[in-house]
Amino acid sequence: DEAALTGESVPVDKTTDAVADDAPLAERSCMLYKGTAVTRGSGEAVVVATGMNTELGLISSLAESAEEVVTPLEKRLDQLGRRLIVVTLAIAALVIISGVLADRDVVLMVETGIALAVATIPEGLPIVATTALARGMLRMARRNALINRLSAVETLGATSVIAVDKTGTLTENRMTVRIIDLAAESVEVTGGALTDDDGLRMDGQPVAPGDLPALEEALRVGVLCNNASLEREDGHFTASGDPLEVALLVAGAKAGMTREDLRRRMPEVREVAFDTETNMMATVHEMDGGYCAAVKGAPEAVLRASTTILTSDGAQDLDEDQRRRWLQHNDDLAKQGLRVLGLARREMDDPEADVYEETTFLGLVGMIDPPRPEVRGTIRQCQSAGIRFIMMTGDQPLTALAVAREVGLVGEEEDEERLIEGGELGDPDELPEEQQQRAREAQILARVSPEQKLDLIALHQQVGHIVAMTGDGVNDAPALKKADIGIAMGERGTQVAREAADMVLRDDRLETIVAAVEQGRVIFGNIRDFVLYLLSCNISEVLVVGLASVANWPLPILPLQILFLNLVTDVFPALALGAGEGPAGIMERPPRDADEPVMARRHWIDLGAFGAMITVSVLGSLWIALRCLGLGEQQAITVSFLTLAAAQLWHVFNMRDHRAGLLLNNITTNPWV
């Protein structure tokens, strides 16, 4: 079982035959690797590498050298902070100098300048941002997504490319029988890989094994010639053993056949183990005073050993034309991404006789690792959200293409232009531009190695994409670390993958990733809302004091009042904004540009407009208090202070999504607000 290294969904056979120097890892049939497991057979091997020189060691060194990427949120907040530092120092200096030139009290002006410097910097930003991210983590945890790094929550919201592993993420990571082809009939097996729902159908109608003797015989051979085990509980099965053999047991169980029952009636006498020379295995059973051999193996090997074929009229001679037709049919099934087994039987008097002589061919069984039922809808949702979806696998191209078609990732006619093999990738800096572009546009990558996954991520990151990647094996660790957001599988993932990832899926479900992306978008929107809110409140304070100083009016707010507003009236509405559930339809919008800052140009324009409106209302109330109402200076400052405080509190309703309604929107429905 090399799944941890190559992503191959079923165990692979090993031989002593040499392979080419440049054979991909998944095709080196004469090599055994550290970190993989023998599932069947025995052998003797020569150690050719240890420690860091092994394939596992190479992956470890790749994981160490893969650079962790600073998240978009960290970049944006850093940029915003640097800008605010410059603005703050300039404003504080300007206010102090203008006050001193106007013959105001120097100590008061220095205090005011310092207070305004404090006011300009949204000191509530770190705690509000942390709270928003932490609440996002909590929501994701409730949806079975565990976050390892706080800032990774927001990164998901900017994700424009999701690269997923086929086995276990798009598929169930369980082989299941999909078709049983007999001499005269083709029977479909429906339902889940480890459930007893649905069953056998022919031409869309349910069929029982008793209705078709050839079907009953084929199922019986699949169940008898088998070393796996299966237990039923509440409509579900628990299994152990070779995935192909488990699939045969489940197909038999859906038809009411169990290995225990069959072996009570047909006790096993001996087993002829699978041999890479014959490409078959067989078991011999007592039956009606004689013996019967159940045979399964590679279709070409089983056909070669067979001299007759079972039809509705009994056993008939199998000629060369029929063999060629069955071999062609085997190729057609393989092109659909199915793994194909041939089934045969032999009746004999001597249990020690050669089981592979003059057998009766029963038919072909086509199996596949079935897609998860929710995957098609989830991919459609990603595409409507403007997110590119890429499937990566260590499996064969034909298998990958078949799964991609079944989940709706590509259409029936799309093949060559949407699929590339790992060998076509390479150092992004050395690839011709045309080949780079083809690699970026590909939606299916087959036979990819750990290094090639790194190359693919780099290719997309070069053009500004934010890449999320899923993985479960040791081989995925470097790419999980290199990706903007690495996502490990919690149920079947290795410890190495979970430690390298930013997020761990407890249920290994693709829809959990989409829910996390949605939450990331909500969080960034909330962060943008409260940054705009805090800065527009703070800029209004700066404008109020600055304009009053220039006009030689009394200061509308005093230093301690500025600090009070910043610590109380600014922070709590901002916290409420950070806890919002986000606007409806957020996953129907494309991802934002990876280079878009927290405060884009339109937000700076909004900031200036909001700040100006609040400033006019505060200075207007101060003028009315002094000129129209005849209040004293201290009372007038109280009026302007309360006006500013109320304006900032009501200003929170200006933070609604511009696509939402005036009265019913993401702010008015936020209970924290």
Side-chain angles (χ1 to χ4, degrees):
D1 178 4
E2 294 185 336
L5 275 181
T6 66
E8 189 84 34
S9 54
V10 295
V12 294
D13 296 321
K14 294 293 178 179
T15 73
T16 54
D17 299 331
V19 297
D21 275 355
D22 58 352
L25 183 67
E27 295 176 9
R28 297 175 196 167
S29 56
C30 57
M31 299 294 290
L32 304 175
Y33 297 103
K34 178 181 176 65
T36 63
V38 176
T39 60
R40 185 175 63 202
S42 59
E44 199 169 348
V46 178
V47 176
V48 296
T50 61
M52 294 302 286
N53 294 320
T54 63
E55 290 294 332
L56 200 64
L58 174 62
I59 290 168
S60 178
S61 62
L62 284 173
E64 286 180 9
S65 61
E67 296 178 9
E68 289 197 47
V69 179
V70 179
T71 67
L73 179 63
E74 291 169 328
K75 294 175 187 174
R76 304 298 173 261
L77 292 180
D78 283 348
Q79 290 170 1
L80 182 62
R82 284 194 290 271
R83 289 182 183 177
L84 288 177
I85 288 171
V86 176
V87 173
T88 298
L89 294 174
I91 288 173
L94 184 64
V95 169
I96 294 171
I97 293 169
S98 63
V100 171
L101 293 176
D103 291 329
R104 292 179 181 271
D105 180 61
V106 174
V107 175
L108 176 63
M109 293 315 300
V110 170
E111 287 179 350
T112 304
I114 293 171
L116 281 176
V118 174
T120 308
I121 297 293
E123 57 279 290
L125 182 57
I127 189 171
V128 176
T130 304
T131 304
L133 292 169
R135 276 187 60 80
M137 285 181 70
L138 182 60
R139 288 179 192 145
M140 291 182 188
R142 289 170 179 160
R143 296 289 297 271
N144 291 315
L146 302 180
I147 303 297
N148 288 342
R149 190 158 57 115
L150 194 62
S151 54
V153 175
E154 178 274 335
T155 310
L156 282 160
T159 299
S160 53
V161 174
I162 298 180
V164 301
D165 212 20
K166 174 185 73 70
T167 307
T169 307
L170 298 181
T171 65
E172 295 183 9
N173 196 23
R174 284 285 182 184
M175 299 302 291
T176 183
V177 175
R178 274 290 173 254
I179 191 167
I180 303 174
D181 270 347
L182 309 170
E185 302 91 8
S186 181
V187 178
E188 181 187 4
V189 182
T190 59
L194 285 177
T195 61
D196 60 2
D197 57 332
D198 291 343
L200 310 178
R201 293 180 175 272
M202 190 170 67
D203 298 327
Q205 299 300 316
V207 61
D211 301 336
L212 299 171
L215 173 62
E216 185 173 22
E217 191 67 32
L219 288 169
R220 183 184 296 128
V221 166
V223 172
L224 286 173
C225 188
N226 205 304
N227 286 315
S229 64
L230 194 70
E231 292 183 10
R232 184 198 304 260
E233 184 177 345
D234 299 329
H236 289 267
F237 298 111
T238 54
S240 62
D242 186 291
L244 299 179
E245 294 190 337
V246 169
L248 292 171
L249 289 184
V250 172
K254 290 184 177 185
M257 291 184 189
T258 64
R259 197 173 70 148
E260 292 73 19
D261 181 47
L262 284 177
R263 287 196 172 181
R264 272 195 300 271
R265 293 188 283 115
M266 302 172 65
E268 184 176 316
V269 177
R270 72 182 177 109
E271 176 183 318
V272 181
F274 179 84
D275 186 342
T276 53
E277 290 187 8
T278 62
N279 271 335
M280 292 183 286
M281 78 164 282
T283 53
V284 180
H285 304 265
E286 288 185 26
M287 179 181 137
D288 299 331
Y291 299 93
C292 172
V295 179
K296 77 172 190 292
E300 59 274 15
V302 176
L303 280 164
R304 193 164 49 246
S306 299
T307 55
T308 57
I309 181 171
L310 185 63
T311 69
S312 54
D313 298 323
Q316 306 286 333
D317 287 340
L318 182 66
D319 58 35
E320 285 304 316
D321 284 343
Q322 287 176 305
R323 282 194 181 89
R324 280 194 292 271
R325 283 198 296 272
W326 277 102
L327 288 172
Q328 180 58 51
H329 190 42
N330 169 49
D331 291 342
D332 294 340
L333 292 175
K335 288 176 182 176
Q336 298 173 33
L338 296 171
R339 292 180 182 269
V340 189
L341 283 178
L343 301 177
R345 71 171 190 188
R346 185 193 176 198
E347 294 180 5
M348 49 196 186
D349 297 324
D350 181 6
E352 298 300 323
D354 188 344
V355 292
Y356 300 138
E357 275 190 6
E358 299 182 347
T359 62
T360 299
F361 183 70
L362 301 176
L364 300 177
V365 176
M367 296 177 242
I368 196 169
D369 181 5
R372 290 176 179 262
E374 74 278 0
V375 164
R376 180 177 281 270
T378 305
I379 289 177
R380 196 180 301 119
Q381 189 178 1
C382 280
Q383 291 169 341
S384 67
I387 299 171
R388 289 207 63 237
F389 206 89
I390 299 170
M391 181 178 82
M392 296 189 299
T393 179
D395 244 333
Q396 299 283 357
L398 287 175
T399 305
L401 188 59
V403 171
R405 285 171 175 161
E406 197 163 346
V407 299
L409 184 57
V410 297
E412 288 298 321
E413 301 304 319
E414 295 175 294
D415 43 45
E416 295 298 328
E417 72 276 12
R418 294 295 184 185
L419 183 148
I420 65 172
E421 295 192 48
E424 297 181 51
L425 294 172
D427 187 337
D429 297 325
E430 297 179 2
L431 281 178
E433 180 57 37
E434 184 180 336
Q435 200 168 340
Q436 287 187 26
Q437 189 59 31
R438 181 167 179 263
R440 291 190 191 105
E441 291 175 356
Q443 289 184 272
I444 310 163
L445 279 90
R447 286 293 192 222
V448 285
S449 69
E451 297 98 323
Q452 289 156 358
K453 290 180 181 181
L454 288 176
D455 294 335
L456 177 73
I457 291 170
L459 277 170
H460 284 284
Q461 288 176 335
Q462 277 180 353
V463 293
H465 288 305
I466 301 298
V467 182
M469 186 204 148
T470 70
D472 58 356
V474 175
N475 60 325
D476 295 321
L480 289 174
K481 195 172 176 184
K482 170 72 174 173
D484 297 281
I485 178 81
I487 305 168
M489 301 297 136
E491 285 187 342
R492 59 187 169 81
T494 58
Q495 184 69 23
V496 174
R498 290 198 293 269
E499 288 180 2
D502 302 299
M503 184 170 89
V504 178
L505 304 183
R506 288 192 297 185
D507 57 3
D508 290 8
R509 294 170 72 90
L510 184 64
E511 58 187 1
T512 304
I513 301 174
V514 177
V517 170
E518 180 179 10
Q519 196 57 233
R521 291 188 176 189
V522 168
I523 288 167
F524 186 83
N526 289 346
I527 290 174
R528 174 172 274 168
D529 286 345
F530 65 64
V531 168
L532 176 58
Y533 172 79
L534 287 172
L535 290 182
S536 53
C537 287
N538 291 359
I539 201 70
S540 66
E541 296 168 12
V542 172
L543 288 172
V544 162
V545 174
L547 292 175
S549 297
V550 171
N552 206 19
W553 287 10
L555 290 179
I557 48 174
L558 301 175
L560 285 177
Q561 291 174 333
I562 292 172
L563 298 178
F564 177 85
L565 289 173
N566 274 337
L567 295 174
V568 181
T569 59
D570 276 10
V571 173
F572 287 103
L575 279 171
L577 288 172
E581 299 289 340
I586 197 166
M587 286 301 285
E588 295 170 7
R589 308 173 189 176
R592 67 179 186 278
D593 191 320
D595 295 325
E596 185 177 329
V598 174
M599 294 285 288
R601 184 183 176 189
R602 67 180 184 278
H603 300 107
W604 288 107
I605 294 171
D606 288 345
L607 186 151
F610 289 139
M613 285 193 292
I614 295 174
T615 300
V616 168
S617 65
V618 173
L619 292 179
S621 68
L622 179 64
W623 186 84
I624 291 170
L626 289 171
R627 305 293 184 222
C628 301
L629 301 181
L631 299 179
E633 187 174 304
Q634 285 190 336
Q635 292 173 309
I637 291 173
T638 300
V639 169
S640 58
F641 165 68
L642 290 173
T643 302
L644 181 56
Q648 291 183 353
L649 289 173
W650 285 102
H651 177 44
V652 75
F653 292 101
N654 290 325
M655 298 299 106
R656 68 181 177 86
D657 183 67
H658 67 277
R659 299 177 182 85
L662 183 64
L663 298 179
L664 194 63
N665 53 59
N666 54 306
I667 303 299
T668 58
T669 57
N670 182 346
W672 296 98
V673 170

